């Protein structure tokens, strides 16, 4: 399928509203009434939550913790929670941006079959989107691996701070999963709380690398792929299979896909339209829709 690239006419075009609005994207959205929307980290960068990958889709930093290491290695858990303690303070304060608001507006217009997000920040819901599948879970929820109890991350944060007051005033750059760069710190003394009910291991209710996405979420999303007549990818390189599979299914069904992403995506060969622009800029026109 040929790719129609829509980019601003000149490097300084972002200062001109006429050139910064991708008309091709507007035409695509107008032409397809039932959209399957898939969003990724690029949707939240303007909320102060940095992206994992550069424009080539490569890792910008050390790969996040793998599930097996989290489960099997005590020091990995200490390091994870110590870094998460710091990262959460900024993650918790993040607010939705115009890209989130634009997609919520699109839903209010009855145009969104389903919004599936790879982000764990809850910012789509905060912006007003209602029909959302959090493919990779939510960072504001913690689950006990023993009794499956779920508790608010804020409560765990209070407990983490109570047990580890000297970590409270550390600051660091954060990653999309609420993790933080604190490589040089000694974490041996970090005191990780266990489940208050059963003493089980606590884990953020997010899908770690090396962990599968729960089948119910995939099934819900795949059903929406079948009902939709087109797909809109917003701020995702689709380098992770959990999201890429929906583009594959869409393409297999012969339905068009548009992607809005600053860099290369794994689905570039499947796209009918590629818009290389910031999510907030490219979707701005949806906010002025009647
Ligand atoms: Zn428990």
């Amino acid at each position: 399928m040929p790719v129609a690239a829509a980019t601003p006419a000149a490097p300084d075009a972002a200062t001109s509203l006429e050139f910064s609005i991708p008309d091709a994207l507007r035409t695509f959205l107008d032409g397809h009434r039932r959209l399957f929307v898939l969003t990724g980290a690029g949707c939240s960068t303007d909320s102060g939550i940095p992206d994992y990958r550069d424009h080539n889709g490569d890792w910008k930093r050390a790969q996040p913790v793998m599930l097996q290491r989290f489960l099997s290695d005590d020091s990995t858990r200490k390091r994870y929670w110590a870094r998460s303690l710091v990262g959460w303070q900024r993650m918790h304060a993040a607010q939705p941006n115009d890209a989130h608001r634009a997609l919520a507006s699109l839903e209010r217009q009855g145009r969104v079959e389903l919004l599936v997000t790879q982000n764990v920040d809850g910012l789509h819901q905060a912006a007003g989107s209602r029909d959302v599948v959090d493919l990779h879970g939510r960072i504001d929820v913690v689950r006990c691996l023993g009794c499956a109890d779920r508790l608010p991350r804020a409560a765990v944060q209070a407990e983490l701070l109570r047990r580890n007051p000297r970590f409270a005033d550390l600051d660091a750059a954060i990653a999309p999963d609420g993790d933080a760069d604190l490589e040089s710190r000694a974490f041996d003394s970090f005191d990780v709380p266990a489940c208050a009910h059963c003493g089980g291991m606590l884990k953020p209710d997010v899908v770690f690398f090396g962990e599968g996405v729960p089948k119910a979420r995939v099934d819900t999303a795949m059903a929406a792929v079948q009902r939709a007549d087109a797909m809109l990818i917003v701020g995702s390189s689709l380098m992770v299979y959990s999201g890429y599979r929906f583009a594959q299914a869409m393409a297999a069904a012969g339905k068009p896909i548009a992607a809005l992403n600053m860099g290369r995506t794994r689905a570039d060969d499947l796209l009918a339209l590629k818009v290389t622009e910031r999510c907030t800029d490219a979707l701005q026109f949806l906010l002025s829709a009647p």
Side-chain angles (χ1 to χ4, degrees):
M1 196 177 293
V3 175
T7 52
D12 61 349
T15 58
S16 161
L17 196 61
E18 287 173 15
F19 285 103
S20 68
I21 296 174
D23 289 334
L25 180 61
R26 185 198 290 259
T27 302
F28 182 90
L29 296 185
D30 284 347
H32 302 95
R33 308 305 296 176
R34 290 145 64 97
L35 294 161
F36 178 89
V37 181
L38 179 69
T39 73
C43 200
S44 289
T45 48
D46 278 345
S47 293
I49 300 170
D51 198 348
Y52 267 129
R53 293 175 186 272
D54 64 21
H55 290 187
N56 286 320
D58 296 324
W59 293 107
K60 284 178 179 173
R61 63 180 73 219
Q63 192 163 334
V65 65
M66 301 289 290
L67 176 68
Q68 285 310 317
R69 289 215 50 161
F70 184 89
L71 296 178
S72 64
D73 182 25
D74 193 43
S75 67
T76 295
R77 278 196 303 282
K78 289 183 177 192
R79 196 181 68 219
Y80 177 89
W81 282 112
R83 296 165 76 189
S84 175
L85 180 154
V86 176
W88 168 254
Q89 305 188 46
R90 201 159 126 198
M91 178 72 84
H92 182 55
Q95 297 292 320
N97 64 51
D98 279 351
H100 301 108
R101 283 187 279 272
L103 293 172
S105 171
L106 199 63
E107 184 187 75
R108 283 195 297 275
Q109 296 166 39
R111 306 288 313 287
V112 177
E113 190 65 40
L114 184 67
L115 192 159
V116 175
T117 185
Q118 298 169 302
N119 300 337
V120 297
D121 52 37
L123 291 180
H124 286 299
Q125 291 90 338
S129 283
R130 303 171 74 95
D131 205 1
V132 179
V133 168
D134 297 297
L135 197 61
H136 296 163
R138 286 282 291 262
I139 195 68
D140 58 355
V141 177
V142 174
R143 195 161 46 89
C144 170
L145 298 182
C147 68
D149 189 30
R150 287 159 58 91
L151 57 162
R153 178 64 171 78
V156 174
Q157 182 76 2
E159 183 62 14
L160 287 167
L161 286 168
R162 192 184 69 75
R163 291 170 180 246
N164 305 279
R166 75 186 185 87
F167 284 83
D169 57 357
L170 296 179
D171 199 4
I174 63 165
D177 65 351
D179 208 341
D181 286 328
L182 289 169
E183 294 297 344
S184 63
R185 295 281 166 179
F187 300 120
D188 289 351
S189 65
F190 196 83
D191 185 5
V192 178
C195 175
H197 302 300
C198 77
M201 187 189 297
L202 298 180
K203 175 182 172 294
D205 200 13
V206 299
V207 175
F208 277 27
F209 285 81
E211 181 175 8
V213 175
K215 185 173 182 299
R217 293 179 203 162
V218 177
D219 290 348
T220 299
M222 279 300 182
V225 165
Q226 299 308 316
R227 295 191 304 270
D229 55 21
M231 178 175 186
L232 173 65
I233 299 164
V234 180
S236 175
S237 63
L238 295 185
M239 290 303 162
V240 180
Y241 176 72
S242 66
Y244 178 65
R245 68 179 125 197
F246 302 117
Q248 280 185 313
M250 214 68 198
K255 299 173 185 177
I257 306 170
L260 166 55
N261 195 55
M262 287 301 289
R264 190 170 72 85
T265 85
R266 186 176 173 184
D268 277 357
D269 290 346
L270 306 176
L271 301 180
L273 174 68
K274 172 78 176 286
V275 178
T276 307
E277 214 179 329
R278 291 163 67 94
C279 301
T280 45
D281 293 340
L283 296 175
Q284 196 74 38
F285 71 92
L286 290 170
L287 291 172
S288 54

